Amino acid sequence: MKEQILKLIDPILISMKYELWGLNIGQHNNSLKLTLYIDSKIGININDCEKVSKQVTNTLDIENICNGDYILEVSSPGLDRLLMTKEHFAKCINKKVKLKLKWSVQNRKNIVGIIKDVNNNFIVINDKTDIYEIDYDSIDKARLKI
């Protein structure tokens, strides 16, 4: 379902001059909760979120992907944004990030450092004392550190 929704809303966001940062799908009571993160070169404000919410809601209702039983929340990813894809990491080279790992890398499960390199298999983080090569699969959560 997530891929279906992303394929449907990405062209809408592009036409509105927004970037799709991510989509989380969860549960809220007996409804689906869709949290859509959008971005733009000039930032995001509440009016942007409202415009996108109206367009996406209309499209989801017409296509009936969620069977009408969903809650849509549109948000900016924020300054301390979650990094969810390889592309997100690539956009943040030379920025500070906080990683929570699923399993230890060099005896550490939490790493704060600068993203030095990104490739298809792993990211390279420098925390001033060590350099870590971290597989994407081992990352539980990654967030920019402000």
Side-chain angles (χ1 to χ4, degrees), residues 7-72:
K7 194 181 289 187
L8 194 64
I9 63 176
D10 195 37
I12 295 167
L13 295 177
I14 291 169
S15 72
M16 296 176 75
K17 308 287 191 246
Y18 296 110
E19 174 188 356
L20 171 64
W21 189 262
L23 173 68
N24 287 333
I25 299 178
Q27 196 75 22
H28 181 76
N29 296 330
N30 291 328
S31 299
L32 278 178
K33 181 178 180 189
L34 310 176
T35 305
L36 177 62
Y37 297 98
I38 60 171
D39 204 5
S40 78
K41 292 178 181 174
I42 59 171
I44 297 297
N45 63 41
I46 191 72
N47 293 330
D48 297 315
C49 294
E50 186 178 341
K51 284 192 294 191
V52 168
S53 180
K54 287 178 182 176
Q55 288 294 325
V56 170
T57 297
N58 288 339
T59 302
L60 290 175
D61 289 349
I62 289 168
E63 296 297 325
N64 201 26
I65 291 175
C66 303
N67 298 322
D69 194 18
Y70 67 93
I71 297 165
L72 176 65

Side-chain angles (χ1 to χ4, degrees), residues 70-87:
Y70 67 93
I71 297 165
L72 176 65
E73 179 179 282
V74 180
S75 176
S76 160
L79 295 175
D80 63 341
R81 59 195 55 207
L82 283 171
L83 304 179
M84 299 180 246
T85 66
K86 293 174 187 178
E87 292 80 16

Side-chain angles (χ1 to χ4, degrees), residues 113-146:
I114 306 295
I115 300 173
K116 290 314 220 179
D117 191 23
V118 174
N119 67 39
N120 282 335
N121 301 314
F122 57 86
I123 64 170
V124 177
I125 303 288
N126 182 341
D127 76 349
K128 293 186 182 175
T129 58
D130 288 311
I131 294 176
Y132 302 88
E133 288 185 359
I134 301 169
D135 286 341
Y136 293 104
D137 293 342
S138 68
I139 299 171
D140 185 34
K141 189 179 262 188
R143 187 176 287 280
L144 278 185
K145 185 108 170 104
I146 304 301

